[in-house]
Amino acid sequence: MGNRSSRNLTARMRSDLLIQALDNLSQEEFKRFKDKLSHSDFEGKGNIPRGQLENADRIDTKNLLIQFYGEIAVVEVTTDVFTQINLKDAAAKLREEREKALGPRQTSERSVNAYTVKYREHIKNEYSAIKDMNARLGENVKLNSRYTKLIITNEHRHEMQREHEIMALGWRHAEIMTEHATPITIGDLFESDDDGQSPQIVVLQGAAGIGKTLTTKKIMLDWANEELYQSRFDYVFYINCREINFDREQRSVEDLILGNCPDHNAPTKEILMTPEKLLFIIDGFDELRFSFNPSTSNLCSDPCEKQSVEIILSSLFRKKVLLKSYLIITTRPIALEKLGQCLKDERYAEILGFSEN
């Protein structure tokens, strides 16, 4: 209850800061502010339509800003607009008032950095051991002792070819895999291709039981041990599709993040301020029972907005929320067409089996 009250207070503070900053503008400055908003793309979310801004007063404009950019980014966006239309005093004053009301950014950064250490330790404890069918009843085994190197290829191959490999047996299976695979490592998934393009979404496909979930857990553990994606991601979050299927409550992206954390004291607002440093692992897309209707009219752009799990996931997939964040999505080949309708500019990789080396 305390966290919710704190979040509501922070939202009110941002709202008050905005209206105060807009009230301090002259009529001409306010007109220039709205004109800039209608022509500029902030936070990668496009611009607020001119028709909505044309007759908007200061309260209407404040509400449009929050609705369009979300409560976390809205003060930064407003400051950016002030700077671009040469209202430097207004920008400086808004930054000063923000620090008085919400605390200096340095404090936020220290809070995030301190929590990262705690989060890594939690992930190590959660993912270092796994259940193993071959172990004694009730006994877990070390993940690193069970994980062997996978054969992963970044070629997006024909469905019939995949089915042939899945059905093949014994030495012939290994022979086919070796023949077709151009091996890559997990660390290569987000690297630039021959055209210099680096993906934000990677689809990791493979047959049932081939090692997709084991691989995602290995990613979590290696990141926590500072052996993978260190300079790329400050936080990595795991979402189990089989479990989330049964979640009937409305959630937000912030809630999904908290579900990974050891407690509810995570500085989520500060974490969400740098989406380009976040990786979400969505494990088992083929197990989701949602329709993922192509309509985008009801998607959300605010990571703190509560919606159905289907809308929240669809907003992540379609880059309507946390545009600059990164995704790894695992799935069986059977669900590729359905998943592909939700994505744009994704990269495909396929787990073909375990290497003998």
Side-chain angles (χ1 to χ4, degrees), residues 212 238-248 256 281-293 308-317 327-332 334-336 338-340 342-343:
K212 298 186 296 298
Y238 177 81
I239 299 169
N240 185 309
C241 293
R242 181 182 297 176
E243 293 177 0
I244 213 168
N245 257 329
F246 302 101
D247 196 339
R248 296 291 176 261
L256 297 182
I281 299 176
I282 319 291
D283 185 27
F285 174 85
D286 53 283
E287 299 198 49
L288 292 173
R289 299 172 184 173
F290 309 130
S291 64
F292 289 105
N293 190 301
S308 68
V309 171
E310 179 179 3
I311 289 177
I312 293 301
L313 290 180
S314 191
S315 299
L316 276 171
F317 295 158
L327 303 177
I328 290 177
I329 307 170
T330 73
T331 184
R332 292 167 60 191
I334 195 172
L336 278 177
K338 179 180 177 181
L339 175 58
C342 303
L343 306 178

Side-chain angles (χ1 to χ4, degrees), residues 155-169:
E155 297 168 14
H156 192 36
R157 294 169 301 111
H158 191 273
E159 182 73 24
M160 288 299 293
Q161 190 179 8
R162 285 197 300 269
E163 291 299 323
H164 184 58
E165 289 174 4
I166 291 168
M167 294 172 65
L169 298 173

Side-chain angles (χ1 to χ4, degrees), residues 181-194:
T182 304
I184 61 170
T185 67
I186 290 296
D188 296 329
L189 291 179
F190 293 102
E191 292 302 316
S192 300
D193 59 19
D194 293 339

Side-chain angles (χ1 to χ4, degrees), residues 266-281:
T268 51
K269 294 293 188 295
E270 289 81 5
I271 291 170
L272 288 165
M273 284 180 178
T274 53
E276 69 278 5
K277 302 295 284 185
L278 306 181
L279 171 63
F280 293 87
I281 299 176

Side-chain angles (χ1 to χ4, degrees), residues 68-346:
F68 206 81
Y69 295 109
E71 66 173 54
I72 294 172
V74 69
V75 174
E76 294 298 328
V77 169
T78 304
T79 305
D80 197 5
V81 180
F82 284 168
T83 302
Q84 289 194 35
I85 60 175
N86 208 30
L87 297 178
K88 295 179 181 177
D89 289 344
K93 185 173 178 59
L94 181 54
R95 286 194 195 96
E96 182 183 340
E97 294 299 326
R98 177 196 177 280
E99 291 199 357
K100 286 180 185 176
L102 302 174
R105 185 179 294 273
Q106 269 191 320
T107 302
S108 295
E109 287 177 354
R110 284 199 296 270
S111 171
V112 171
N113 291 338
Y115 198 83
T116 302
V117 175
K118 183 177 184 179
Y119 181 72
R120 285 185 192 277
E121 288 303 313
H122 172 67
I123 295 301
K124 289 178 194 177
N125 291 334
E126 287 288 307
Y127 291 91
S128 61
I130 58 171
K131 289 186 170 64
D132 191 309
M133 298 298 291
N134 297 319
R136 285 180 293 183
L137 188 64
E139 185 178 70
N140 290 336
V141 297
K142 294 290 184 182
L143 172 59
N144 283 334
S145 71
R146 283 292 184 267
Y147 187 89
T148 55
K149 188 176 180 181
L150 291 169
I151 299 176
I152 303 175
T153 175
N154 58 5
E155 297 168 14
H156 192 36
R157 294 169 301 111
H158 191 273
E159 182 73 24
M160 288 299 293
Q161 190 179 8
R162 285 197 300 269
E163 291 299 323
H164 184 58
E165 289 174 4
I166 291 168
M167 294 172 65
L169 298 173
W171 65 270
R172 181 59 183 151
H173 188 195
E175 183 181 279
I176 293 171
M177 288 192 297
T178 304
E179 182 181 322
H180 291 292
T182 304
I184 61 170
T185 67
I186 290 296
D188 296 329
L189 291 179
F190 293 102
E191 292 302 316
S192 300
D193 59 19
D194 293 339
D195 298 322
Q197 299 298 311
S198 178
Q200 285 184 271
I201 302 175
V202 173
V203 177
L204 192 58
Q205 58 176 306
I210 201 74
K212 298 186 296 298
T213 293
L214 195 63
T215 298
T216 59
K217 292 184 176 182
K218 176 68 170 168
I219 292 172
M220 295 294 293
L221 182 61
D222 284 355
W223 172 82
N225 284 325
E226 301 186 57
E227 297 170 1
L228 183 68
Y229 299 145
Q230 283 318 290
S231 60
R232 192 179 290 273
F233 303 122
D234 289 344
Y235 282 88
V236 181
F237 303 111
Y238 177 81
I239 299 169
N240 185 309
C241 293
R242 181 182 297 176
E243 293 177 0
I244 213 168
N245 257 329
F246 302 101
D247 196 339
R248 296 291 176 261
E249 291 187 29
Q250 290 198 330
R251 302 286 181 194
S252 65
V253 175
E254 182 183 30
D255 291 331
L256 297 182
I257 288 174
L258 282 171
N260 280 261
C261 296
D263 53 52
H264 284 270
N265 297 319
T268 51
K269 294 293 188 295
E270 289 81 5
I271 291 170
L272 288 165
M273 284 180 178
T274 53
E276 69 278 5
K277 302 295 284 185
L278 306 181
L279 171 63
F280 293 87
I281 299 176
I282 319 291
D283 185 27
F285 174 85
D286 53 283
E287 299 198 49
L288 292 173
R289 299 172 184 173
F290 309 130
S291 64
F292 289 105
N293 190 301
S295 170
T296 59
S297 60
N298 57 354
L299 299 181
C300 66
S301 59
D302 184 350
C304 301
E305 179 184 343
K306 292 185 183 290
Q307 289 281 1
S308 68
V309 171
E310 179 179 3
I311 289 177
I312 293 301
L313 290 180
S314 191
S315 299
L316 276 171
F317 295 158
R318 298 175 192 273
K319 290 296 176 184
K320 294 296 181 183
V321 66
L322 299 183
L323 173 72
K324 296 179 182 178
S325 66
Y326 289 77
L327 303 177
I328 290 177
I329 307 170
T330 73
T331 184
R332 292 167 60 191
I334 195 172
L336 278 177
E337 184 176 349
K338 179 180 177 181
L339 175 58
Q341 293 174 353
C342 303
L343 306 178
K344 184 180 179 183
D345 298 329
E346 69 275 22

